[in-house]
Amino acid sequence: MSNQERAEHHQGGVYSSKGNLFERDTRYITTRIVRQPTPGQDAVAVEPGRYRLIAAKACPWANRALIVRRLLGLEEVISVGMPGPTHDADSWTFGLDPDGLDPVLRIPRIKDAYLARDPHYSRGITVPAIVDVTTGKVVTNDYAQITLDFSTEWTEFHREGAPDLYPEHLREEMDAVMKRIFTEVNNGVYRCGFAGTQEAYDAAYDRLWTALDWLEERLARQRFLMGENITEADVRLFTTLVRFDAVYHGHFKCNRNKLAEMPVLWGYARDLYQTPGFGDTVDFQQIKEHYYVVHTDLNPLSIIPKGPDLSGWLTPHGREALS
């Protein structure tokens, strides 16, 4: 496995380069955590205090889970462990914690929890992952389902006034919007960054900007992706947008323009960033350290850029006028 492959082995899926194109291995552990598991269902029961979310702030896929947990007020019932911003070819590690051990699981790397579940586990050691504290075993790393289950299966423990992030009457349209965001934007920036040929990069670049222009137009007439209220769709888009100027614009060569040069998307992203649960789960230094240190094929000397100036995230956005 090359350095480039290793760089993607732990972040949302396994990188592969068939035909010099970026592909993401989406074979996850699909065990779910639900209110009432049914016979034959690959699921365990919701139980406060039993599960620990492992989610690195640097990773956009893990950042989603941190945001949803915070928005729904699940902090008291689902604990969180945070690996450092970088990892080696083996696993994310808990280097930010005392003695390099997660203080609850008492392990130095998340891979240990994967191997506790399956000593022969051979897929990606990814975050986010949810670990059963009572057994030390990973329950699931299916990041898309994790946040949907937080919204729909943990409702008994939501804070008063928590948003409905996956409203039933919008699900059909939401699912289509989120699918396009995943394929064209969340994954699109990686398709640009890890393109193996000029032709692959050119095609990926065009796809990405077609999608971003579509979003600029959609959000010009409504405050959030599905209307007046924040939903799961906004969470999924935000974690890519918040990394765009700091990382994807330069590091992944997604450089037609910066996010800050797209008036609608820039205002929308700031609106979310200034909403409790979004900006307070973002750490720009960890984000930059992760991408510029781990992706050694793209940045062989692991030099972390000092810029760009990120102070604009707290400036007025004016999006309230659309509500």
Side-chain angles (χ1 to χ4, degrees):
M1 184 180 290
S2 70
N3 287 336
Q4 188 175 11
E5 289 175 307
R6 282 192 289 268
E8 283 306 297
H9 194 64
H10 311 283
Q11 195 189 78
V14 180
Y15 168 87
S16 63
S17 55
K18 298 177 182 177
N20 294 309
L21 299 175
F22 174 86
E23 295 185 10
R24 190 177 297 280
D25 184 346
T26 55
R27 297 174 300 156
Y28 298 104
I29 300 172
T30 56
T31 303
R32 292 180 60 191
I33 304 173
V34 300
R35 277 173 291 184
Q36 293 183 325
T38 57
Q41 183 183 21
D42 183 12
V44 294
V46 164
E47 184 181 326
R50 178 177 172 182
Y51 304 104
R52 186 162 177 81
L53 171 67
I54 306 301
K57 283 187 173 183
C59 171
W61 318 95
N63 196 177
R64 296 179 181 187
L66 292 173
I67 293 170
V68 172
R69 172 179 173 269
R70 173 88 162 82
L71 291 175
L72 299 178
L74 294 173
E75 297 100 319
E76 297 302 316
V77 295
I78 304 172
S79 67
V80 68
M82 293 186 181
T86 62
H87 56 69
D88 55 26
D90 197 39
S91 182
W92 292 89
T93 61
F94 296 101
L96 301 180
D97 291 308
D99 302 319
L101 298 175
D102 178 85
V104 172
L105 301 175
R106 305 304 297 171
I107 56 175
R109 54 184 190 162
I110 187 57
K111 183 177 182 179
D112 294 333
Y114 279 85
L115 295 180
R117 174 177 174 132
D118 178 3
H120 305 290
Y121 185 82
S122 60
R123 300 179 188 177
I125 308 297
T126 63
V127 292
I130 294 183
V131 179
D132 185 334
V133 175
T134 65
T135 65
K137 299 177 182 180
V138 167
V139 176
T140 179
N141 66 340
D142 187 352
Y143 66 90
Q145 192 63 52
I146 285 172
T147 50
L148 294 180
D149 283 344
F150 281 176
S151 289
T152 59
E153 300 293 334
W154 289 81
T155 52
E156 180 184 351
F157 303 100
H158 288 183
R159 65 174 174 83
E160 184 178 354
D164 184 355
L165 296 177
Y166 196 42
E168 196 162 355
H169 69 287
L170 293 175
R171 288 181 188 179
E172 184 175 356
E173 182 186 0
M174 269 187 71
D175 288 345
V177 169
M178 292 191 298
K179 181 178 180 180
R180 186 171 183 184
I181 288 170
F182 170 74
T183 59
E184 306 304 302
V185 181
N186 301 146
N187 216 35
V189 292
Y190 284 85
R191 197 180 293 115
C192 289
F194 290 106
T197 66
Q198 185 68 51
E199 291 75 19
Y201 166 74
D202 289 347
Y205 179 97
D206 291 342
R207 283 180 64 177
L208 171 65
W209 288 104
T210 295
L212 290 173
D213 288 339
W214 161 66
L215 289 164
E216 182 87 350
E217 181 180 349
R218 181 183 181 96
L219 288 162
R221 58 182 185 269
Q222 58 195 43
R223 187 170 181 182
F224 303 112
L225 281 168
M226 303 309 301
E228 292 196 3
N229 298 306
I230 291 171
T231 64
E232 170 91 13
D234 299 295
V235 175
R236 295 187 181 197
L237 178 58
F238 173 79
T239 57
T240 294
L241 295 184
V242 80
R243 288 161 174 76
F244 200 89
D245 288 0
V247 175
Y248 302 142
H249 178 272
H251 187 55
F252 280 178
K253 300 181 283 294
C254 302
N255 60 356
R256 189 190 77 178
N257 51 257
K258 293 181 178 179
L259 176 69
E261 295 166 346
M262 301 186 76
V264 173
L265 276 175
W266 176 225
Y268 163 80
R270 282 179 291 152
D271 189 1
L272 292 175
Y273 183 85
Q274 294 169 31
T275 299
F278 285 86
D280 50 16
T281 66
V282 172
D283 187 316
F284 284 115
Q285 186 56 39
Q286 286 199 31
I287 288 169
K288 290 199 297 184
E289 185 175 347
H290 173 78
Y291 284 90
Y292 286 102
V293 171
V294 170
H295 297 162
T296 53
D297 279 15
L298 302 183
N299 189 36
L301 299 179
S302 297
I303 294 172
I304 305 169
K306 294 182 69 174
D309 180 2
L310 299 166
S311 60
W313 281 97
L314 294 176
T315 58
H317 51 76
R319 298 282 295 177
E320 302 93 336
L322 292 172
S323 290

